[in-house]
Amino acid sequence: MTTSTTAWEALAAQRSTVPVLAPGHVWLAGAGPGDPGLLTLDALAGLRQADVIVHDALVDPRVLALAGSQARLEFAGKRGGKPSATQAGITARLVMLARRGARVLRLKGGDPFIFGRGGEEAMALAAAQIPFRIIPGITSGLAALAAAAIPATLRGVNRALIFAAGHGADDDFDWVPLARAGLPIVFYMVMHQLERITKVLLQAGLDAQTPAAIIASATTPNERVLVAPLEKLAAAAREQSFEPPAIVVIGDIVDFRPRLLGEVATAEKE
Ligand SMILES: C[S@@+](CC[C@H](N)C(=O)[O-])C[C@H]1O[C@@H](n2cnc3c(N)ncnc32)[C@H](O)[C@@H]1O
């Protein structure tokens, strides 16, 4: 690849052809956590070719700015307390646009299949016999940890990792087995339940001093990181006005952040 070759041309060279978003097709793609550098090349190809881009609130404006000039942007999410588009309404819209022959990019924050209702949308497209393709994205749970210099897995520390949604349809979810698993937990959508869920985890036996962190607006210009022991996390978040979107990570892996940051600083000096 020469320096003048675009990333898209380089992709085409490896695949014998550029991925084509055909009329009447839907690509259900992840937009990553925010930073456009974390988009996949296939998602970028979708952005450049789509006639209509149906996107969620958490898709970063810098990513949307990569859309082709022919593309119409349609917002399908929550905004300013107004009622959000219903899931049925969104899938019906995708089906209608595809049936009209549009090239449709359905763009979701992070990865479309991680707490993003991508599965529901894919099933609706399959049921309607709309040709579609799934393009994974970098999920915020992993991107936020990397941005905060917290290793998701570390040999000798954890052999598994739990991804959990703090908010969901089943709000009587039993957190006790998760607390007792002895594994790091990466929480999505938990900021409004942080007090309650940290209390449940402590009651279930997690040590009060378990290291924990909040990474808000990861990989965006508003990124903020807060580190505190589990028992103090909710109060510290309140005092420092931490707001969604945020990832909360609880577990010994958080303790490696200072060491990683120290090593990064040393490596840069050399
Ligand atoms: C509906 S879920 C969608 C998750 C998305 N599909 C993914 O894979 O990242 C929304 C939650 O993702 C997390 N999130 C998304 N983008 C984020 C970011 N840039 N920084 C921190 N958390 C983020 C927050 O927990 C937010 O409440």
Side-chain angles (χ1 to χ4, degrees):
M1 180 177 162
T2 65
T3 46
S4 59
T5 309
T6 66
W8 199 3
E9 282 162 355
L11 173 67
Q14 295 305 321
R15 284 221 185 114
S16 77
T17 171
V18 164
V20 174
L21 173 49
H25 289 219
V26 178
W27 284 5
L28 183 49
D35 182 346
L38 298 176
L39 266 181
T40 64
L41 292 176
D42 277 359
L44 177 61
L47 277 155
R48 302 303 300 163
Q49 296 175 84
D51 301 313
V52 187
I53 299 171
V54 182
H55 66 94
D56 285 348
L58 283 177
V59 176
D60 195 283
R62 296 168 297 171
V63 167
L64 293 174
L66 295 167
S69 55
Q70 77 292 346
R72 189 175 74 241
L73 300 184
E74 283 192 13
F75 175 75
K78 288 186 190 167
R79 184 177 281 164
K82 288 186 194 153
S84 53
T86 63
Q87 196 54 51
I90 295 168
T91 46
R93 179 82 186 141
L94 296 176
V95 169
M96 194 194 75
L97 288 165
R99 286 199 174 133
R100 282 187 188 164
R103 298 171 179 85
V104 184
L105 179 67
R106 171 66 173 125
L107 198 55
K108 292 172 155 294
D111 179 273
F113 277 2
I114 303 247
F115 304 131
R117 298 199 169 189
E120 289 166 53
E121 294 181 18
M123 282 190 274
L125 292 168
Q129 299 191 313
I130 303 292
F132 69 94
R133 181 170 165 212
I134 312 292
I135 300 174
I138 297 184
T139 189
S140 54
L142 290 179
L145 266 56
I150 298 168
T153 67
L154 201 57
R155 194 154 61 98
V157 177
N158 64 314
R159 290 180 60 169
L161 183 70
I162 296 170
F163 277 5
H167 160 85
D170 48 354
D171 271 340
D172 53 353
F173 186 80
D174 182 7
W175 295 106
V176 176
L178 265 62
R180 298 203 173 143
L183 295 169
I185 309 176
V186 175
F187 277 105
Y188 294 68
M189 296 182 283
V190 76
M191 291 306 281
H192 297 306
Q193 332 278 327
L194 197 55
E195 193 105 44
R196 181 176 68 81
I197 289 180
T198 51
K199 206 185 265 177
V200 172
L201 295 173
L202 289 166
Q203 281 165 356
L206 264 191
D207 192 295
Q209 295 305 312
T210 306
I214 301 175
I215 307 110
S217 300
T219 84
T220 79
N222 301 322
E223 179 177 295
R224 294 173 74 201
V225 181
L226 165 67
V227 178
L230 181 58
E231 67 173 347
K232 301 214 166 110
L233 191 69
R238 210 175 34 247
E239 276 158 25
Q240 297 183 37
S241 306
F242 266 67
E243 300 280 346
I247 291 293
V248 172
V249 51
I250 299 169
D252 290 343
I253 52 173
V254 176
D255 264 349
F256 292 86
R257 169 177 155 83
R259 241 203 275 180
L260 258 70
L261 291 175
E263 281 165 17
V264 169
T266 311
E268 278 173 357
K269 271 185 230 144
E270 284 168 359

